[in-house]
């Protein structure tokens, strides 16, 4: 009986050991994507006390690339255009959602807020992009931009904050793409790609601080990069926030949601918001 029991135990450990040596099941993370917050026709108008402050300072750039003041005629335009309503709305949790649906092999698409007033990177009081957002992982889109510091006189940004499916060997990360060359129509463009880390699965704080020609990007209140941008000080600049799809080949749906979004020109206000 003892021999029989020992034999059975030996067989058990042999088979158990063989299972341990089997190759692990590989997960194809590229088949995993996020579901965007739903648009509720009766409840999704994008005005809320949380975002009234930033909307007072902004224009809205719609998917057809038209810039519209958020007051006046915007109300009638919004409710007459289902495509517009589904690109810019409040979800059930009162987060401000920007989404875009783009066909492959078509020009760029936008759904974002654009700061009305311009400023200089050399301002002594500084200018600050303050947000808490969630970057959703899309099913088919490979790249999208969710924030920018943009130049008024030149049709390109000083810095873009983006999500990239694959870049420089990193999968599903967020990035800062810096223009390092002097501004000018005929100037050759030089870019620096700064890895801001793995895309958070939930809401996270993201900030851009620019004061006396020093640009600082913070993710989760940690400084990810500090840049001297004195070469940009003579370019009137402004913030953009929302969704921007500019990859011609990309086709699909992408989106981001903000639980907080502000454009500030006072370090006192920034300190309050950051530590609220």
């Amino acid at each position: 009986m003892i021999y029989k029991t020992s034999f059975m135990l030996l067989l058990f450990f042999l088979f158990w050991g063989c299972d341990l040596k089997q190759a692990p099941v590989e997960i194809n993370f590229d088949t995993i994507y996020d579901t965007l917050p739903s648009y509720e026709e009766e409840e999704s108008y994008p005005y809320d006390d949380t975002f009234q402050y930033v909307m007072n300072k902004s224009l809205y750039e719609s998917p057809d690339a038209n810039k519209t003041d958020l007051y006046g005629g915007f109300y009638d335009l919004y409710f007459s255009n289902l495509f517009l309503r589904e690109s810019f709305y409040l979800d059930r949790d009162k987060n401000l959602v920007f989404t875009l649906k783009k066909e492959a092999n078509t020009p760029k698409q936008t759904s974002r807020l654009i700061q009305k007033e311009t400023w200089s990177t050399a301002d002594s009081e500084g200018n600050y992009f303050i947000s808490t957002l969630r970057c959703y992982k899309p099913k088919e889109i490979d790249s999208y931009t969710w924030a920018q510091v943009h130049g008024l006189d030149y049709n390109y940004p000083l810095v873009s904050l983006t999500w990239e499916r694959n870049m420089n060997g990193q999968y599903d990360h967020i990035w800062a793409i810096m223009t390092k060359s002097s501004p000018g129509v005929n100037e050759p463009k030089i870019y620096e790609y700064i890895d801001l880390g793995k895309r958070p699965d939930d809401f996270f704080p993201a900030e851009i601080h620019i004061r006396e020609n020093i640009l600082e990007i913070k993710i989760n209140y940690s400084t990810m990069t500090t840049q001297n941008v004195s070469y940009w000080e003579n370019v009137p600049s402004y913030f953009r926030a929302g969704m921007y799809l500019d990859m011609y080949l990309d086709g699909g749906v992408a989106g981001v949601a903000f639980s907080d979004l502000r454009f500030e020109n006072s370090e006192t206000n920034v300190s309050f918001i950051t530590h609220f």
Side-chain angles (χ1 to χ4, degrees):
M1 185 68 178
I2 295 175
Y3 293 112
K4 183 176 181 181
T5 302
S6 300
F7 179 71
M8 295 300 292
L9 286 171
L10 179 61
L11 287 177
F12 171 77
F13 284 116
L14 283 173
F15 282 111
W16 186 59
C18 288
D19 285 342
L20 287 178
K21 294 177 182 178
Q22 288 182 355
V25 177
E26 291 188 4
I27 300 174
N28 183 0
F29 288 101
D30 217 33
T31 63
I32 300 173
Y33 59 94
D34 293 326
T35 301
L36 293 172
S38 62
Y39 165 77
E40 305 290 341
E41 187 168 2
E42 301 300 322
E43 304 176 0
S44 296
Y45 192 61
Y47 287 105
D48 182 85
D49 289 344
T50 303
F51 300 103
Q52 199 71 45
Y53 181 77
V54 71
M55 288 186 178
N56 286 340
K57 297 186 173 187
S58 305
L59 302 173
Y60 175 68
E61 187 175 19
S62 58
D64 58 8
N66 286 325
K67 299 178 180 67
T68 309
D69 197 295
L70 285 158
Y71 300 96
F74 181 76
Y75 184 92
D76 293 334
L77 174 65
Y78 188 82
F79 281 100
S80 66
N81 188 325
L82 179 61
F83 183 41
L84 174 57
R85 297 200 305 271
E86 291 180 341
S87 300
F88 179 47
Y89 58 89
L90 293 179
D91 66 14
R92 291 180 178 178
D93 296 320
K94 302 303 181 182
N95 299 311
L96 186 60
V97 182
F98 299 84
T99 70
L100 280 176
K101 180 179 181 181
K102 180 182 175 298
E103 300 295 329
N105 304 316
T106 59
K108 62 186 180 183
Q109 291 268 343
T110 63
S111 173
R112 57 189 174 184
L113 295 181
I114 295 179
Q115 188 179 19
K116 292 180 184 179
E117 295 185 3
T118 61
W119 37 265
S120 168
T121 60
D123 288 349
S124 59
E125 289 295 315
N127 290 277
Y128 308 88
F129 175 101
I130 306 296
S131 71
T132 302
L133 79 153
R134 180 173 177 182
C135 293
Y136 291 90
K137 181 184 177 186
K139 183 178 181 180
E140 297 165 309
I141 297 292
D142 286 332
S143 170
Y144 63 75
T145 298
W146 47 271
Q148 285 182 326
V149 174
H150 208 275
L152 182 65
D153 296 335
Y154 303 102
N155 192 28
Y156 58 91
L158 170 61
V159 62
S160 296
L161 303 186
T162 72
W163 171 82
E164 306 289 340
R165 188 178 300 276
N166 284 293
M167 179 178 279
N168 295 345
Q170 300 297 328
Y171 176 77
D172 193 16
H173 278 220
I174 55 176
W175 293 79
I177 302 176
M178 290 285 309
T179 300
K180 301 293 289 185
S181 48
S182 298
V185 175
N186 298 317
E187 292 289 332
K189 304 298 186 297
I190 301 172
Y191 300 105
E192 180 181 356
Y193 297 82
I194 303 164
D195 187 359
L196 302 180
K198 181 76 173 174
R199 176 189 59 86
D201 290 330
D202 208 339
F203 285 83
F204 65 97
E207 303 178 5
I208 306 172
H209 298 191
I210 305 179
R211 181 181 178 184
E212 296 179 338
N213 283 325
I214 300 300
L215 181 149
E216 181 181 12
I217 297 174
K218 292 175 173 281
I219 301 295
N220 288 318
Y221 306 122
S222 295
T223 299
M224 307 301 291
T225 185
T226 302
Q227 304 271 336
N228 186 320
V229 293
S230 55
Y231 55 89
W232 200 266
E233 69 175 29
N234 293 322
V235 180
S237 298
Y238 57 93
F239 292 120
R240 291 173 167 180
M243 279 297 303
Y244 176 46
L245 301 177
D246 65 340
M247 302 294 288
Y248 185 80
L249 297 178
D250 262 358
V253 180
V256 293
F258 291 86
S259 63
D260 182 29
L261 177 61
R262 294 172 184 263
F263 306 146
E264 293 288 353
N265 59 3
S266 166
E267 192 173 27
T268 301
N269 290 346
V270 170
S271 178
F272 169 75
I273 294 166
T274 300
H275 302 290
F276 181 75

